Amino acid sequence: MKIVFLIHQEGSLGYSMRRYLSNLKKGLERKGYEVSVLGPKLYLSKNIKNISFKKWLRYIDQYLLFPIWFKSKNIETNKNTLYVLIDQALGIWTPLIKNKKHIIHCHDFIALKSAQGTIEENPTSWTGKIYQYLILNGFRKASNFISISKNTQKELEFFLNKEPIINAQVYNAIDSQFKPGEVKEARSAIGNEVGNDMSEGYILHVGGNTFYKNRNGVINIYDAWRKISTENLPLIMIGSLPTSEMIKLKNNSKYKKDIFFLTKVKDDILINAYQGARIFIFPSLLEGFGYPIIEAMACGCPVITTDKAPMNEIGGTAAVYIPKVNKENIITWPSEVAIKIELILKYPDEQLKKLQEESLINAEIFKSNIFIDNIEKVYLKALSKNN
């Protein structure tokens, strides 16, 4: 089997998508398959400084020039070639592959649901609504799908207007390097990164700045926890550069000297951060999967996350759950979560060890070899079908 991945425009893959593609490509190549990756090049939009103008030129690069190039390079298609859209957000390209052996990976439908007005926290412009309609109208023409969670699979079924030939679900994989380590050494490494003593541990959050990550909420939770606790553990937030609102929340915090932002960290530092944390908090509003939940668990770190799919699907019985923040509970919510944090931090050693063991057992589900084996089965099935 020859596998051709179609990916987002050059340089536009986010951290999670890069990791996802890398796991797929390396794992399938280890099994002996020929794998190639195709994506739009930056022709018209390269070196353009005007952001608004550049956005429209990128659309031309992506949705006009790339299809022309793709069709010119794929006059004949070997029956043993499978074309894979790495993300359903590339659904506009479905006409390029719908008559070939194909499959589409589905991650989340947050942008699509926002465009349809079902996510009030993320209003969408009229151009954004048109864009999402084109994506939806595109991937509906496909026949074969893989979703990264049961929640995403359920949402896909809602959006499709026909029964697909293949509607599989395969959980994402985490790298084997995410594992427990020497706590003292891990805290020392993180202390060096932030320039502060971390020997007693810290509270950790990992995430980007998309609205649903709720990073402002993390700081509000931390403030509420410090008010009720006799401990003074720092807060470390790893991910994108802090927004102006996050910086404002930190500067207005009574505990601002104990709040640290780390950006562009390498994997070894991220792993150290998980290994040395006393607790990991992930109060997302929405997710497609939630990599940090299972990465933290694989490193033996207790996890608090939102009691909403897919977070509670990924965390299983090994996570401690909190309600989603909304208009009704926004005032009391930080204090409610703070109480949960304090409770876990006060766990007796035996109870804490049990939680850590449950976390490690849950993480076994997301091993890379299981992921690749399941993907391979679905790909071979798609190759055998007449679309």
Side-chain angles (χ1 to χ4, degrees):
M1 175 170 59
K2 180 179 179 181
I3 302 164
V4 180
F5 287 113
L6 275 65
I7 68 168
H8 292 269
Q9 201 163 33
E10 179 182 340
S12 65
L13 285 180
Y15 174 79
S16 295
M17 190 61 73
R18 287 198 307 272
R19 175 165 288 178
Y20 189 75
L21 176 62
S22 177
N23 284 341
L24 280 171
K25 187 173 186 295
K26 290 178 181 178
L28 291 165
E29 286 176 337
R30 281 196 296 268
K31 283 181 170 287
Y33 297 112
E34 181 183 347
V35 180
S36 58
V37 179
L38 301 179
K41 301 293 183 182
L42 301 178
Y43 292 117
L44 299 180
S45 58
K46 190 174 184 179
N47 300 323
I48 300 298
K49 294 183 178 180
N50 185 292
I51 296 176
S52 180
F53 187 47
K54 183 174 184 176
K55 180 181 74 172
W56 290 105
L57 290 178
R58 283 174 71 94
Y59 285 151
I60 295 174
D61 281 338
Q62 188 162 346
Y63 297 122
L64 180 60
L65 298 185
F66 177 72
I68 293 172
W69 175 87
F70 181 86
K71 289 177 181 178
S72 71
K73 296 295 182 181
N74 288 272
I75 298 172
E76 295 182 7
T77 300
N78 188 299
K79 65 179 182 179
N80 290 319
T81 299
L82 182 68
Y83 287 87
V84 183
L85 279 190
I86 196 67
D87 185 356
Q88 88 286 337
L90 298 171
I92 296 175
W93 289 344
T94 305
L96 299 176
I97 63 169
K98 69 175 184 176
N99 295 321
K100 306 176 189 289
K101 304 291 186 178
H102 71 268
I103 198 155
I104 295 180
H105 285 259
C106 300
H107 297 267
D108 70 74
F109 295 99
I110 295 172
L112 180 54
K113 291 190 294 183
S114 296
Q116 294 186 345
T118 60
I119 301 178
E120 62 181 14
E121 297 95 341
N122 190 41
T124 305
S125 67
W126 68 270
T127 53
K129 291 177 181 178
I130 293 173
Y131 182 49
Q132 289 302 318
Y133 169 77
L134 293 173
I135 290 172
L136 172 61
N137 192 50
F139 72 70
R140 277 179 168 173
K141 294 180 173 68
S143 301
N144 306 313
F145 301 88
I146 298 178
S147 297
I148 64 171
S149 69
K150 290 182 174 64
N151 183 67
T152 297
Q153 185 183 40
K154 181 179 178 181
E155 292 181 340
L156 172 66
E157 291 169 353
F158 172 80
F159 286 116
L160 292 179
N161 53 7
K162 65 177 181 180
E163 188 72 23
I165 295 174
I166 295 175
N167 185 10
Q169 187 270 311
V170 178
Y171 286 124
N172 289 350
I174 56 168
D175 197 292
S176 59
Q177 64 183 330
F178 289 92
K179 58 187 177 182
E182 174 53 51
V183 174
K184 185 176 180 181
E185 292 178 4
R187 290 176 180 172
S188 176
I190 298 304
N192 291 336
E193 285 293 311
V194 300
N196 200 71
D197 180 18
M198 294 289 157
S199 58
E200 297 301 315
Y202 43 85
I203 294 172
L204 177 67
H205 170 75
V206 176
N209 285 339
T210 45
F211 78 96
Y212 54 85
K213 296 296 183 182
N214 193 21
R215 299 185 86 195
N216 291 346
V218 173
I219 300 174
N220 290 330
I221 290 168
Y222 181 69
D223 277 354
W225 171 73
R226 286 294 298 268
K227 290 176 183 177
I228 65 170
S229 181
T230 57
E231 296 198 64
N232 58 356
L233 300 179
L235 169 66
I236 296 180
M237 300 185 69
I238 294 179
S240 304
L241 286 168
T243 63
S244 57
E245 183 64 22
M246 288 171 64
I247 293 172
K248 182 179 178 180
L249 285 170
K250 174 184 175 177
N251 290 337
N252 289 338
S253 172
K254 182 180 177 181
Y255 315 102
K256 60 183 178 181
K257 66 180 180 61
D258 294 327
I259 299 174
F260 300 91
F261 300 124
L262 286 179
T263 60
K264 297 181 180 179
V265 301
K266 295 182 179 179
D267 277 355
D268 59 334
I269 296 301
L270 177 61
I271 294 165
N272 283 152
Y274 286 130
Q275 292 170 339
R278 292 274 298 277
I279 197 166
F280 175 73
I281 57 174
F282 195 72
S284 284
L285 308 177
L286 303 158
E287 285 291 333
F289 181 77
Y291 269 112
I293 295 172
I294 207 65
E295 289 174 349
M297 286 187 172
C299 294
C301 181
V303 172
I304 289 182
T305 189
T306 310
D307 192 9
K308 181 177 175 64
M311 286 79 80
N312 51 13
E313 178 185 341
I314 304 306
T317 60
V320 175
Y321 294 104
I322 56 175
K324 176 185 172 182
V325 64
N326 54 48
K327 290 180 179 178
E328 286 70 36
N329 68 3
I330 192 169
I331 301 300
T332 60
W333 179 78
S335 297
E336 291 177 32
V337 181
I339 292 170
K340 288 283 184 76
I341 292 175
E342 185 70 1
L343 180 66
I344 296 174
L345 291 174
K346 298 295 185 185
Y347 273 2
D349 289 345
E350 184 177 338
Q351 190 174 3
L352 183 61
K353 184 179 179 181
K354 182 181 178 182
L355 180 60
Q356 291 170 329
E357 288 174 349
E358 289 177 355
S359 297
L360 293 173
I361 291 171
N362 189 55
E364 291 290 311
I365 300 171
F366 305 91
K367 279 190 170 181
S368 182
N369 63 316
I370 297 174
F371 167 71
I372 291 298
D373 286 347
N374 289 334
I375 289 290
E376 179 187 31
K377 291 175 185 176
V378 180
Y379 280 14
L380 289 172
K381 185 178 180 181
L383 198 67
S384 70
K385 297 292 183 180
N386 292 320
N387 298 317

